[in-house]
Amino acid sequence: MTSTLIWIAVALFAIGLYLSWTAGRLDRLHARIDAARAALDAQLLRRASVAQELATSGVLDPAASIVLYEAAHAARQAEEEQREVAESELSQALRAIFADPGQMDVVREAPGGEEAANELAQAVRRVPMARRFHNDAVRAARALRRHRKVRWFRLAGHAPFPMAFEMDDEPPTALADRPTS
């Protein structure tokens, strides 16, 4: 009788230890999602700021400046529910404006244009990487949260279900092919 109780206590302790480890792993994944989201937000803000700065510099033609400024402003001011759409529209505006490689030559020839072009190229390249890191962390957390043990024992606590950030982040070819210095 005593040995049976000891074995039951050991089994309960092992199960508790395993559940505690799983809850800790899930907590670390949620922390990783938060850090990746902060990095993604920073890169999106940087891209919108650089685009807005370029739009107001007077380097681009007036129509392109207006389109780029409005898309960048909308991306910076978008509410969380509309953020993915606004960021996709900024990507589309950048592709439309820089579809013509001659537009990059115009930017480069302007005073301070080389630095602005490099900064925009770096910002445009970093957004897909930051989004990929965020979505990978979301995928890992979702996979763990789907397990029965996580649902049955409510190991996720009150953490919201992680959502991926889906947007059009394809860079313009004139900026994607640009070497950074």
Side-chain angles (χ1 to χ4, degrees):
M1 179 73 176
T2 308
S3 67
T4 305
L5 289 176
I6 291 173
W7 281 112
I8 290 173
V10 167
L12 288 175
F13 178 75
I15 290 169
L17 191 63
Y18 177 71
L19 290 175
S20 175
W21 175 80
T22 303
R25 181 172 165 225
L26 190 57
D27 186 52
R28 288 188 300 276
L29 281 172
H30 282 143
R32 192 171 120 202
I33 289 170
D34 290 342
R37 181 58 188 241
L40 175 61
D41 286 341
Q43 292 305 324
L44 291 171
L45 180 63
R46 181 172 181 245
R47 179 181 77 152
S49 297
V50 171
Q52 206 169 19
E53 189 176 307
L54 185 63
T56 58
S57 68
V59 173
L60 301 173
D61 65 88
S65 292
I66 291 171
V67 168
L68 187 58
Y69 180 83
E70 286 180 355
H73 181 71
R76 290 183 71 177
Q77 301 299 320
E79 296 293 324
E80 194 59 36
E81 302 83 37
Q82 299 298 317
R83 185 103 188 261
E84 293 172 348
V85 173
E87 294 294 347
S88 293
E89 288 173 355
L90 177 56
S91 295
Q92 292 165 3
L94 285 167
R95 277 198 309 272
I97 290 166
F98 293 107
D100 176 23
Q103 189 74 311
M104 277 310 297
D105 295 335
V106 170
V107 171
R108 271 190 237 116
E109 290 169 1
E114 190 66 34
E115 293 82 23
N118 285 338
E119 194 173 351
L120 184 61
Q122 287 175 356
V124 163
R125 274 195 216 119
R126 288 180 179 164
V127 167
M129 287 188 297
R131 189 175 76 86
R132 195 171 310 120
F133 288 138
H134 174 266
N135 288 349
D136 287 347
V138 166
R139 229 180 329 279
R142 281 181 165 186
L144 185 58
R145 286 183 71 153
R146 279 193 210 106
H147 290 144
R148 279 190 206 114
K149 65 181 175 274
V150 173
R151 290 192 320 263
W152 287 350
F153 293 102
R154 299 176 191 247
L155 298 180
H158 297 288
F161 195 74
M163 300 302 288
F165 194 87
E166 298 300 332
M167 65 171 270
D168 174 7
D169 60 4
E170 184 182 336
T173 37
L175 292 173
D177 299 338
R178 183 168 180 68
T180 56
S181 49

